[in-house]
């Protein structure tokens, strides 16, 4: 299995918050891409590299970024011989390809013909999350059907459904549909779906089909990877692995909460996410 970390975003909300802060406390964060933000004792993305490497989950790690942050990621990646960085060659948020196109770019550039673990570069999980458990679940699903895919879900509050993609599932935890930011009255489900997916190698050709079908659509349709999941569940079996929650670094406040947790509350740094 290969891992693709999506890190081509421009972090516009966070950078806007940092720039507008007059205290000067966050000046060191100006121009830092979200995956490279210090979280506890190391950059956010480093926590993924350490967990993926220590767990033996994958045999290749690819990071998709943009032309603006490419040098910063390459400098960071120099300490990890198994990590390869790919730029999507965009230079502004308006030019961005979108997460789904970024994934397709990595699959084609690195000639990936294996199952792919996809993770958002601004996302971390609570300590119950385990790559070993994810790998075990994928193996079980593959025995049943080789084209099975896996996503995560956690319970969100009623007022949060309009912030996330919400999964509806059957009794076997197979995804029936994903509703994008529905009102609480529009679904009984409270299963939020974070940016972490395991796509089977048999599902990868569908990236081309999805992007061809959506080529005239606004970039927002191709930017949210959940739109591909919504489309995929009608074509391949997609199942849920349940977790307790996540850290999603979007603005300055969410970053500070994440950083504080990893500085003061993380129980075991070495076994985190393994």
């Amino acid at each position: 299995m290969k891992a693709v970390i999506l890190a081509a975003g421009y972090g516009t909300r966070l950078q806007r918050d940092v720039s507008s802060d007059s205290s000067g406390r966050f000046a060191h964060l100006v121009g830092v891409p979200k995956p490279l933000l210090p979280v506890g004792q190391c950059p956010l993305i480093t926590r993924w590299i350490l967990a993926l490497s220590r767990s033996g989950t994958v045999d290749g790690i690819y990071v998709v970024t943009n032309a603006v942050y490419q040098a910063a990621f390459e400098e960071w990646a120099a300490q990890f011989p198994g990590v390869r960085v790919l730029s999507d060659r965009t230079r502004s948020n308006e030019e961005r390809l979108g997460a789904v196109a970024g994934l397709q770019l990595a699959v084609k550039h690195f000639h990936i013909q294996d199952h792919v673990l996809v993770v958002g570069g601004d996302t971390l999980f609570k300590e119950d999350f385990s790559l070993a458990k994810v790998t075990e679940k994928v193996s079980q699903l593959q025995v049943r059907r080789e084209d099975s895919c896996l996503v995560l879900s956690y319970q969100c509050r009623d007022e949060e459904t309009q912030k996330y993609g919400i999964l509806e599932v059957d009794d076997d935890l197979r995804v029936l549909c994903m509703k994008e930011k529905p009102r609480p009255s529009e679904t009984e489900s409270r299963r939020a779906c974070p940016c972490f997916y395991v796509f089977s190698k048999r599902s990868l050709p569908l990236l081309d089909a999805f992007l061809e079908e959506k080529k005239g659509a606004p970039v927002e349709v191709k930017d949210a990877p959940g739109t591909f999941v919504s489309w995929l569940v009608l074509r391949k079996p997609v199942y849920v692995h349940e977790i307790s929650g996540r850290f999603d670094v979007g603005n300055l406040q969410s970053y500070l909460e994440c950083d504080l947790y990893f500085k003061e509350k993380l129980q075991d740094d070495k076994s985190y996410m393994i």
Side-chain angles (χ1 to χ4, degrees):
M1 183 155 58
K2 305 295 189 291
V4 174
I5 301 178
L6 302 173
Y10 287 87
T12 51
R13 282 185 297 157
L14 179 69
Q15 288 302 315
R16 186 166 54 244
D17 289 351
V18 169
S19 298
S20 63
D21 179 77
S22 58
S23 70
R25 289 175 53 208
F26 311 111
H28 62 293
L29 302 180
V30 173
V32 179
K34 288 194 292 183
L36 293 180
L37 290 170
V39 172
Q41 304 305 313
C42 66
L44 188 160
I45 191 174
T46 296
R47 296 191 175 278
W48 278 111
I49 305 305
L50 294 177
L52 289 166
S53 301
R54 290 169 177 169
S55 65
T57 304
V58 300
D59 56 7
I61 303 175
Y62 309 112
V63 178
V64 182
T65 185
N66 55 57
V68 175
Y69 294 139
Q70 181 179 5
F73 276 101
E74 289 179 341
E75 180 181 355
W76 159 81
Q79 64 188 303
F80 302 111
V83 176
R84 299 175 68 182
V85 175
L86 174 65
S87 170
D88 68 5
R89 300 187 179 181
T90 68
R91 302 199 66 87
S92 71
N93 191 56
E94 291 70 32
E95 291 180 9
R96 71 190 188 280
L97 300 182
V100 182
L103 173 58
Q104 180 202 41
L105 181 68
V107 169
K108 289 183 177 298
H109 182 85
F110 295 112
H111 307 289
I112 298 174
Q113 297 179 333
D114 201 351
H115 306 317
V116 177
L117 184 159
V118 180
V119 59
D122 58 359
T123 297
L124 289 170
F125 297 120
K126 300 293 180 65
E127 288 180 80
D128 66 300
F129 172 83
S130 162
L131 286 166
K133 292 178 182 177
V134 168
T135 303
E136 181 182 5
K137 183 69 174 285
V138 170
S139 296
Q140 293 170 353
L141 293 174
Q142 290 289 314
V143 170
R144 293 161 63 178
R145 276 191 60 170
E146 291 185 356
D147 56 351
S148 295
C149 302
L150 185 71
V151 300
L152 302 183
S153 82
Y154 63 93
Q155 292 293 314
C156 70
R157 298 187 296 271
D158 288 357
E159 62 270 21
E160 294 178 317
T161 61
Q162 290 180 271
K163 296 169 59 178
Y164 305 126
I166 302 296
L167 301 169
E168 296 186 351
V169 305
D170 65 15
D171 292 340
D172 291 327
L173 295 183
R174 178 170 176 171
V175 180
L176 301 174
C177 71
M178 175 191 264
K179 295 187 174 181
E180 189 63 28
K181 300 180 180 179
R183 291 191 295 272
S185 60
E186 294 176 327
T187 177
E188 294 182 2
S189 175
R190 298 295 180 264
R191 292 181 176 275
C193 182
C195 187
F196 180 101
Y197 320 106
V198 179
F199 295 129
S200 66
K201 57 186 174 184
R202 292 193 175 188
S203 70
L204 297 184
L206 294 179
L207 288 167
D208 290 344
F210 171 82
L211 289 169
E212 176 63 25
E213 184 178 305
K214 306 295 183 182
K215 64 181 179 182
V219 68
E220 288 77 15
V221 173
K222 295 170 277 190
D223 197 20
T227 59
F228 176 64
V229 175
S230 299
W231 185 88
L232 183 65
V233 297
L234 303 175
R235 295 159 176 85
K236 297 290 181 183
V238 178
Y239 290 87
V240 159
H241 178 67
E242 298 172 306
I243 59 172
S244 68
R246 68 164 167 178
F247 299 96
D248 180 18
V249 177
N251 56 21
L252 183 58
Q253 182 60 39
S254 59
Y255 163 67
L256 293 175
E257 292 171 359
C258 180
D259 185 40
L260 181 65
Y261 180 89
F262 284 90
K263 282 179 176 176
E264 299 184 359
K265 298 181 180 180
L266 185 66
Q267 297 297 312
D268 188 349
D269 200 48
K270 290 187 176 180
S271 67
Y272 174 61
M273 296 201 299
I274 296 176

